[in-house]
Amino acid sequence: MTKKTVTEQYPDVQPDLPPRTRGVIGLFEENCTVCMLCARECPDWCIYIDSHKETLPAAAPGGRERSRNVLDRFAIDFSLCMYCGICIEVCPFDALFWSPEFEYAETDIRDLTHERDKLREWMWTVPAPPALDPGAEEPKEIATARKAAEKLAAAQDRPAGPQEGDS
């Protein structure tokens, strides 16, 4: 109450947003496996996903063909979205993220359904996650991968000993 009030001159001066601000949802398509968990768990049913199955040839002779889902459409209707973040939390493949973008107003409410190309643009504005706590325990996936790499490096550095049948 003792300070003089300051008027922010928005839109000429952009506001300083806190880190990890919730603006819109960004999509990282490469991680999306079309599992539909985000659409099923959304309380507003504002996520629309279309896909098709694609058959991949066998990787090795005599192997069997594989099929995978291919993403055709991923859209979020932000006129329905309540920004709860459930879709981001349930995504097991880290395909959805909060972007700090907040300037996406439209003059027509029908234009608030944003397709995957727009969601992908917002993905590049997502800030990097905070650094891990230095005293934290190493994630088990990283520890396992590091141990396997060390074991492989040790096996490659070990000198070849005498082989059976050598005289």
Side-chain angles (χ1 to χ4, degrees):
M1 287 178 41
T2 60
K3 287 185 177 179
K4 184 178 177 184
T5 59
V6 177
T7 302
E8 296 290 333
Q9 299 300 320
Y10 180 81
D12 298 327
V13 178
Q14 293 293 319
D16 291 328
L17 299 173
R20 311 304 291 172
T21 297
R22 287 185 176 192
V24 293
I25 298 168
L27 170 68
F28 190 56
E29 274 184 68
E30 287 78 12
N31 287 358
C32 184
T33 61
V34 196
C35 66
M36 305 282 200
L37 276 174
C38 55
R40 273 187 271 154
E41 295 296 324
C42 179
D44 291 332
W45 293 84
C46 64
I47 300 174
Y48 309 110
I49 302 173
D50 292 329
S51 67
H52 70 275
K53 288 226 184 253
E54 189 175 83
T55 303
L56 302 173
R64 67 183 183 112
E65 293 179 336
R66 304 277 181 192
S67 66
R68 68 178 182 118
N69 286 328
V70 177
L71 186 65
D72 293 327
R73 179 181 187 223
F74 193 105
I76 299 177
D77 187 349
F78 286 104
S79 66
L80 296 175
C81 182
M82 64 181 185
Y83 303 91
C84 63
I86 292 174
C87 57
I88 296 169
E89 294 297 320
V90 300
C91 181
F93 302 103
D94 289 333
L96 297 172
F97 295 90
W98 282 116
S99 169
E101 293 293 317
F102 62 93
E103 296 176 318
Y104 56 95
E106 300 287 345
T107 56
D108 188 358
I109 195 168
R110 292 173 290 204
D111 295 334
L112 282 172
T113 301
H114 294 291
E115 299 291 331
R116 69 183 189 181
D117 56 338
K118 187 65 174 175
L119 299 175
R120 183 173 185 79
E121 284 178 33
W122 287 328
M123 182 61 210
W124 306 122
T125 63
V126 172
L132 294 175
D133 183 9
E137 188 176 303
E138 185 177 40
K140 64 182 178 186
E141 296 87 355
I142 294 174
T144 304
R146 184 181 42 74
K147 287 177 186 174
E150 288 171 357
K151 193 179 208 182
L152 182 63
Q156 290 175 348
D157 291 343
R158 196 174 322 134
Q163 300 293 323
E164 282 186 38
D166 286 346
S167 307

